[in-house]
Coordinates of all heavy atoms in Angstrom, one line a residue:
A1 N 7.5 -255.3 93.3 CA 7.5 -255.7 94.7 C 8.6 -256.3 95.3 O 9.2 -256.0 96.3 CB 6.2 -256.6 94.8
E2 N 9.3 -257.2 94.5 CA 10.4 -257.9 95.0 C 11.6 -257.0 95.1 O 12.4 -257.0 96.0 CB 10.8 -259.1 94.1 CG 9.7 -260.2 94.2 CD 10.1 -261.4 93.3 OE1 10.8 -261.2 92.3 OE2 9.8 -262.5 93.8
Q3 N 11.8 -256.0 94.1 CA 12.9 -255.1 94.2 C 12.8 -254.1 95.3 O 13.8 -253.6 95.9 CB 12.9 -254.3 92.9 CG 13.2 -255.0 91.6 CD 14.6 -255.5 91.7 OE1 15.5 -254.9 92.1 NE2 14.8 -256.7 91.1
T4 N 11.5 -254.0 95.9 CA 11.4 -253.0 97.1 C 11.2 -253.8 98.3 O 10.8 -253.2 99.3 CB 10.2 -252.0 96.8 OG1 9.0 -252.8 96.5 CG2 10.4 -251.1 95.6
G5 N 11.5 -255.1 98.4 CA 11.5 -255.9 99.6 C 10.2 -256.4 100.0 O 10.1 -256.7 101.1
L6 N 9.2 -256.3 99.3 CA 7.9 -256.8 99.5 C 7.7 -258.3 99.2 O 8.1 -258.7 98.1 CB 6.8 -256.0 99.0 CG 6.6 -254.6 99.4 CD1 5.6 -253.8 98.4 CD2 6.0 -254.5 100.7
N7 N 7.1 -259.0 100.0 CA 6.6 -260.4 99.6 C 5.4 -260.2 98.7 O 4.6 -259.2 98.9 CB 6.2 -261.2 100.9 CG 7.4 -261.5 101.5 OD1 8.4 -261.8 101.1 ND2 7.2 -261.7 102.9
V8 N 5.1 -261.0 97.7 CA 4.1 -260.7 96.6 C 3.5 -262.0 96.3 O 4.1 -263.1 96.3 CB 4.6 -260.0 95.5 CG1 5.8 -260.7 94.7 CG2 3.6 -259.6 94.5
Y9 N 2.2 -262.0 96.0 CA 1.4 -263.1 95.7 C 0.3 -262.7 94.7 O 0.1 -261.6 94.6 CB 1.0 -264.1 96.7 CG -0.1 -263.4 97.7 CD1 -1.4 -263.5 97.4 CD2 0.4 -262.5 98.6 CE1 -2.2 -262.9 98.3 CE2 -0.5 -261.9 99.5 CZ -1.9 -262.0 99.3 OH -2.7 -261.3 100.1
T10 N -0.4 -263.7 94.2 CA -1.5 -263.2 93.2 C -2.8 -263.8 93.8 O -3.0 -264.9 94.3 CB -1.3 -263.9 91.9 OG1 -0.1 -263.4 91.3 CG2 -2.6 -263.5 90.9
V11 N -3.9 -263.0 93.7 CA -5.2 -263.3 94.1 C -6.1 -263.2 92.8 O -6.2 -262.0 92.2 CB -5.9 -262.3 95.2 CG1 -7.2 -262.7 95.5 CG2 -4.9 -262.3 96.4
T12 N -6.8 -264.2 92.6 CA -7.6 -264.2 91.2 C -8.9 -263.7 91.4 O -9.5 -263.7 92.5 CB -7.6 -265.6 90.6 OG1 -8.6 -266.3 91.3 CG2 -6.3 -266.3 90.6
Q13 N -9.4 -263.0 90.4 CA -10.8 -262.6 90.3 C -11.6 -264.0 90.3 O -11.2 -265.0 89.8 CB -11.1 -261.9 88.9 CG -12.5 -261.6 88.7 CD -13.0 -260.6 89.7 OE1 -13.5 -261.1 90.8 NE2 -13.0 -259.3 89.4
F14 N -12.8 -264.0 90.8 CA -13.6 -265.2 90.8 C -13.9 -265.6 89.4 O -14.0 -264.8 88.5 CB -14.8 -265.0 91.7 CG -15.9 -264.2 91.2 CD1 -16.8 -264.7 90.3 CD2 -16.0 -262.9 91.6 CE1 -17.9 -263.9 89.9 CE2 -17.0 -262.1 91.2 CZ -18.0 -262.6 90.3
C15 N -14.0 -266.9 89.2 CA -14.3 -267.5 87.9 C -15.1 -268.8 88.0 O -14.9 -269.5 89.0 CB -12.9 -267.8 87.2 SG -12.9 -268.6 85.6
F16 N -16.0 -269.1 87.1 CA -16.8 -270.2 87.2 C -16.3 -271.4 86.4 O -17.0 -272.5 86.4 CB -18.3 -270.0 86.7 CG -18.8 -268.7 87.4 CD1 -19.1 -267.5 86.9 CD2 -19.2 -268.8 88.8 CE1 -19.6 -266.4 87.6 CE2 -19.7 -267.8 89.5 CZ -19.9 -266.5 88.9
D17 N -15.2 -271.3 85.8 CA -14.6 -272.3 85.0 C -13.3 -272.9 85.5 O -12.3 -272.2 85.3 CB -14.5 -271.8 83.5 CG -13.9 -272.9 82.5 OD1 -13.8 -274.1 83.0 OD2 -13.9 -272.6 81.3
P18 N -13.3 -274.1 86.1 CA -12.0 -274.6 86.7 C -10.9 -274.8 85.6 O -9.8 -274.4 85.9 CB -12.4 -275.9 87.3 CG -13.9 -275.8 87.6 CD -14.4 -274.9 86.5
A19 N -11.3 -275.2 84.3 CA -10.4 -275.4 83.4 C -9.7 -274.1 83.0 O -8.5 -274.1 82.8 CB -11.0 -275.9 82.1
A20 N -10.5 -273.0 82.9 CA -9.8 -271.6 82.5 C -8.8 -271.2 83.6 O -7.8 -270.8 83.4 CB -11.0 -270.6 82.6
I21 N -9.0 -271.6 85.0 CA -8.2 -271.3 86.0 C -6.9 -272.0 85.9 O -5.8 -271.5 85.9 CB -8.8 -271.5 87.4 CG1 -10.0 -270.6 87.7 CG2 -7.8 -271.3 88.5 CD1 -10.8 -271.0 88.8
I22 N -7.0 -273.3 85.6 CA -5.8 -274.2 85.4 C -4.9 -273.7 84.3 O -3.8 -273.6 84.3 CB -6.2 -275.6 85.2 CG1 -6.9 -276.1 86.5 CG2 -5.1 -276.5 84.8 CD1 -7.6 -277.4 86.4
R23 N -5.7 -273.3 83.2 CA -4.8 -272.8 81.9 C -4.0 -271.6 82.2 O -3.0 -271.4 81.8 CB -5.9 -272.6 80.8 CG -6.3 -273.7 80.1 CD -7.0 -273.5 78.8 NE -8.2 -272.7 78.9 CZ -9.5 -273.0 79.1 NH1 -9.8 -274.4 79.1 NH2 -10.3 -272.0 79.2
W24 N -4.8 -270.7 83.1 CA -4.3 -269.4 83.4 C -3.0 -269.6 84.2 O -1.9 -269.0 84.1 CB -5.3 -268.6 84.1 CG -4.8 -267.2 84.3 CD1 -4.7 -266.1 83.6 CD2 -4.4 -266.8 85.7 NE1 -4.2 -265.1 84.4 CE2 -4.1 -265.4 85.7 CE3 -4.2 -267.4 87.0 CZ2 -3.5 -264.7 86.8 CZ3 -3.7 -266.7 88.0 CH2 -3.4 -265.3 88.0
I25 N -3.1 -270.5 85.2 CA -2.0 -270.8 86.2 C -0.8 -271.5 85.4 O 0.3 -271.0 85.5 CB -2.4 -271.6 87.4 CG1 -3.3 -270.8 88.2 CG2 -1.2 -272.1 88.1 CD1 -3.8 -271.7 89.4
K26 N -1.2 -272.3 84.4 CA -0.2 -273.0 83.5 C 0.6 -271.9 82.8 O 1.9 -271.9 82.6 CB -0.7 -274.0 82.7 CG 0.4 -274.8 81.9 CD -0.3 -275.8 81.1 CE 0.8 -276.8 80.4 NZ 1.7 -276.0 79.6
R27 N -0.1 -270.8 82.2 CA 0.6 -269.8 81.5 C 1.5 -269.0 82.3 O 2.7 -268.7 82.0 CB -0.5 -268.8 80.8 CG -1.2 -269.4 79.6 CD -1.9 -268.2 78.7 NE -2.9 -267.6 79.6 CZ -4.2 -267.9 79.7 NH1 -4.6 -269.1 79.2 NH2 -4.9 -267.2 80.4
L28 N 1.1 -268.8 83.6 CA 2.0 -268.1 84.5 C 3.3 -268.8 84.7 O 4.4 -268.3 84.7 CB 1.3 -267.9 85.9 CG 0.2 -266.9 86.0 CD1 -0.3 -266.6 87.4 CD2 0.5 -265.6 85.3
R29 N 3.2 -270.2 84.9 CA 4.3 -271.0 85.2 C 5.2 -271.1 84.0 O 6.4 -271.1 84.0 CB 3.8 -272.4 85.7 CG 3.0 -272.5 86.9 CD 3.6 -271.7 88.0 NE 2.8 -271.8 89.3 CZ 2.6 -270.8 90.1 NH1 2.8 -269.6 89.8 NH2 1.8 -271.1 91.2
D30 N 4.7 -271.0 82.8 CA 5.3 -271.2 81.6 C 6.2 -270.0 81.4 O 7.3 -269.9 80.8 CB 4.4 -271.4 80.4 CG 3.8 -272.8 80.2 OD1 4.4 -273.6 80.9 OD2 2.9 -273.0 79.5
L31 N 5.6 -268.8 82.0 CA 6.4 -267.6 81.9 C 7.4 -267.4 83.0 O 8.1 -266.3 83.1 CB 5.4 -266.3 82.0 CG 4.5 -266.2 80.8 CD1 3.4 -265.2 81.0 CD2 5.3 -265.7 79.5
G32 N 7.5 -268.4 83.9 CA 8.4 -268.4 85.0 C 8.0 -267.7 86.2 O 8.8 -267.4 87.1
I33 N 6.7 -267.4 86.3 CA 6.0 -266.8 87.4 C 5.7 -267.9 88.4 O 4.6 -268.6 88.1 CB 4.9 -265.9 87.0 CG1 5.3 -264.9 86.1 CG2 4.2 -265.3 88.3 CD1 4.2 -263.9 85.6
E34 N 6.3 -268.0 89.4 CA 6.1 -269.2 90.3 C 5.6 -268.8 91.6 O 5.5 -269.6 92.6 CB 7.5 -270.0 90.5 CG 8.1 -270.6 89.3 CD 7.3 -271.7 88.8 OE1 6.6 -272.3 89.5 OE2 7.5 -272.1 87.6
H35 N 5.1 -267.6 91.8 CA 4.5 -267.0 93.0 C 3.2 -267.7 93.5 O 2.6 -268.3 92.6 CB 4.3 -265.5 93.0 CG 5.7 -264.9 92.8 ND1 6.3 -264.8 91.6 CD2 6.4 -264.1 93.6 CE1 7.5 -264.2 91.7 NE2 7.6 -263.6 93.0
R36 N 2.9 -267.6 94.6 CA 1.7 -268.3 95.2 C 0.4 -267.6 94.5 O 0.4 -266.4 94.1 CB 1.6 -268.0 96.7 CG 2.4 -268.9 97.6 CD 2.2 -268.6 99.0 NE 2.5 -267.2 99.3 CZ 1.7 -266.3 100.0 NH1 0.5 -266.8 100.4 NH2 2.0 -265.1 100.3
V37 N -0.5 -268.4 94.3 CA -1.8 -268.0 93.6 C -2.9 -268.4 94.6 O -3.1 -269.5 94.9 CB -2.1 -268.5 92.3 CG1 -3.4 -268.3 91.8 CG2 -1.0 -268.3 91.3
R38 N -3.8 -267.4 95.1 CA -5.0 -267.6 95.8 C -6.1 -267.6 94.8 O -6.3 -266.6 94.1 CB -5.1 -266.7 96.9 CG -4.1 -266.7 97.9 CD -4.2 -265.8 99.1 NE -5.3 -266.4 100.0 CZ -5.1 -267.2 101.0 NH1 -4.0 -267.5 101.4 NH2 -6.2 -267.5 101.7
I39 N -7.0 -268.7 94.8 CA -8.1 -268.8 93.8 C -9.3 -268.0 94.5 O -9.8 -268.5 95.5 CB -8.3 -270.3 93.5 CG1 -7.1 -271.1 93.1 CG2 -9.5 -270.4 92.5 CD1 -6.5 -270.4 91.9
G40 N -9.7 -267.1 93.7 CA -10.9 -266.5 94.0 C -12.3 -267.4 93.8 O -12.4 -267.8 92.7
M41 N -13.2 -267.4 94.8 CA -14.4 -268.2 94.5 C -15.5 -267.3 95.0 O -15.5 -266.5 96.0 CB -14.4 -269.5 95.3 CG -13.3 -270.4 94.9 SD -13.2 -271.9 96.0 CE -14.7 -272.7 95.5
A42 N -16.6 -267.3 94.3 CA -17.9 -266.5 94.6 C -18.5 -267.0 95.8 O -18.5 -268.3 96.1 CB -18.8 -266.5 93.4

């Protein structure tokens, strides 16, 4: 997306476990993925 000039962000599938969401975002940051994340809620 970035190579083709698009702004990009992540939208999560809904999840019922806040700790799982936090762990997942931390893994992204550890991988150097710093883009915006929109949290999906049911």
Side-chain angles (χ1 to χ4, degrees):
E2 291 183 331
Q3 292 293 327
T4 54
L6 291 166
N7 293 324
V8 61
Y9 62 98
T10 301
V11 181
T12 77
Q13 178 62 277
F14 68 90
C15 177
F16 303 110
D17 182 0
I21 295 171
I22 292 169
R23 287 194 300 269
W24 181 81
I25 294 175
K26 186 176 185 303
R27 284 198 299 273
L28 293 188
R29 301 308 185 228
D30 288 345
L31 291 169
I33 299 174
E34 298 290 342
H35 296 72
R36 286 180 297 132
V37 175
R38 297 187 71 89
I39 305 299
M41 301 177 69

